[in-house]
Amino acid sequence: MARPQMLKLPEVLAELGMSRAAFYRMRARGLGPRLIKLPNGQLRVRRSELDSWLSGCEEAA
């Protein structure tokens, strides 16, 4: 069984074409994909979560 793909924050930012500051502002407004905080403090986003979030943005546009 394959583990779900986890993206590092820089990978997510590159895919979205967004700065870290803009990403965090969006998250502060309650928008953006859910993040997973690892025990070492690093952040990850599940590939499926990012894809689902992007689909929701497409419908809202």
Side-chain angles (χ1 to χ4, degrees), residues 5-53:
Q5 184 182 7
M6 305 287 275
L7 302 171
K8 295 178 181 178
L9 191 55
E11 295 171 320
V12 173
L13 297 175
E15 186 167 329
L16 297 176
M18 183 178 282
S19 71
R20 185 179 295 264
F23 183 80
Y24 280 116
R25 280 193 305 270
M26 180 178 65
R27 297 255 322 136
R29 291 191 310 266
L31 306 171
R34 288 185 309 189
L35 299 178
I36 297 168
K37 188 171 188 177
L38 300 178
N40 63 4
Q42 293 181 358
L43 299 173
R44 297 288 187 272
V45 178
R46 283 188 178 93
R47 171 89 255 169
S48 59
E49 173 66 24
L50 182 60
D51 291 343
S52 174
W53 177 78

